Amino acid sequence: MNANVVATFSIVGYDPETKEWGVAVQSRFLAVGSVVPWAQANVGAIATQSYANTKYGPEGLKLLREGKSAQETLDILIAGDPERELRQVGIVDSMGNAATFTGGKCHSWAGGLIGPYYAAQGNILVSAETVQAMTHTFENTQGDLPYRLLEALDAGQRAGGDSRGQQSAALFIVQDKAGYRGYNDVKVDLRVDDHEQPITELKRLFELHKEIVAKRG
């Protein structure tokens, strides 16, 4: 398998009550958090994977800022990409509308699902059950967006996950002025770059993150 294949599973989500956007992702790929997740407060969130075209991140956010919907943004991105059949991408826009795309040349099992305020997708998975488990869990879990995304990611792994195994995971959440001391919009930016159980480690880091934030007040 080509080392440049960002074969993974991810879920992109939005919380209309808290106005948070985010991405949770896991892969048998080193430092997946440096490639897949993109988000901007009050704009939307994007996951780009499978021979990942990282231009989809900044270019997609630009289109969303201009008022394009998730589906319109997706259509423009893939229309301008001659290698689109190798790509996989999920998008949620500023209103929570979702879109997902899996190119015909993505390695099996590959596919995605959308629902209210989320897009879930994956490639080189054990089966479709990984994506199905993510969507079911996201829809039926109570809590804030980062917690729901992490639980969905964990459920995807328990349902089979990446057929090659585990290596890295990431959680990226944005909310208006929710960054450190309110100077930016990055509420959560946690990455596990190389670990035998990256989702378990990511959840541990998230609990530590919450403790630190609570102490800061």
Side-chain angles (χ1 to χ4, degrees):
M1 188 67 63
N2 189 313
N4 292 323
V5 182
V6 186
T8 183
F9 56 99
S10 66
I11 181 163
V12 182
Y14 168 64
D15 187 324
E17 294 185 6
T18 61
K19 302 297 183 184
E20 294 171 295
W21 289 261
V23 183
V25 56
Q26 196 281 148
S27 182
R28 184 70 169 87
F29 180 90
L30 181 68
V32 71
S34 67
V35 177
V36 172
W38 299 78
Q40 183 175 344
N42 301 315
V43 173
I46 299 171
T48 176
Q49 55 205 50
S50 179
Y51 294 95
N53 185 339
T54 54
K55 291 182 179 179
Y56 281 11
E59 292 181 2
L61 291 174
K62 179 177 182 293
L63 291 167
L64 293 173
R65 283 195 301 271
E66 292 172 354
K68 299 289 192 302
S69 70
Q71 189 63 56
E72 289 170 335
T73 297
L74 177 58
D75 291 343
I76 293 169
L77 290 175
I78 62 176
D81 185 355
E83 295 187 315
R84 56 186 169 273
E85 293 304 324
L86 295 170
R87 315 296 190 201
Q88 189 169 56
V89 58
I91 302 175
V92 172
D93 64 27
S94 64
M95 302 300 292
N97 302 305
T100 189
F101 170 78
T102 298
K105 294 182 180 180
C106 290
H107 298 290
S108 296
W109 185 90
L113 294 170
I114 62 171
Y117 310 123
Y118 70 82
Q121 48 280 315
N123 61 93
I124 316 186
L125 302 182
V126 171
S127 72
E129 291 182 7
T130 292
V131 172
Q132 293 165 356
M134 285 194 291
T135 63
H136 176 79
T137 301
F138 186 81
E139 290 182 0
N140 292 281
T141 298
Q142 299 297 314
D144 60 10
L145 182 64
Y147 176 76
R148 294 170 67 201
L149 290 176
L150 280 175
E151 289 301 299
L153 198 69
D154 196 22
Q157 178 58 42
R158 286 186 278 107
D162 189 325
S163 64
R164 304 165 306 161
Q166 303 181 65
Q167 185 169 7
S168 65
L171 176 67
F172 188 54
I173 306 290
V174 296
Q175 183 186 45
D176 188 40
K177 297 181 181 179
Y180 180 69
R181 299 179 65 85
Y183 293 138
N184 62 39
D185 299 332
V186 180
K187 188 171 186 177
V188 181
D189 186 3
L190 297 174
R191 302 178 183 184
V192 178
D193 289 342
D194 186 23
H195 197 280
E196 291 183 359
Q197 295 183 313
I199 298 174
T200 299
E201 177 65 5
L202 186 62
K203 293 176 77 171
R204 185 189 73 82
L205 291 177
F206 179 61
E207 290 303 314
L208 182 60
H209 168 82
K210 289 196 298 183
E211 292 177 8
I212 294 171
V213 170
K215 289 178 181 178
R216 288 205 307 255

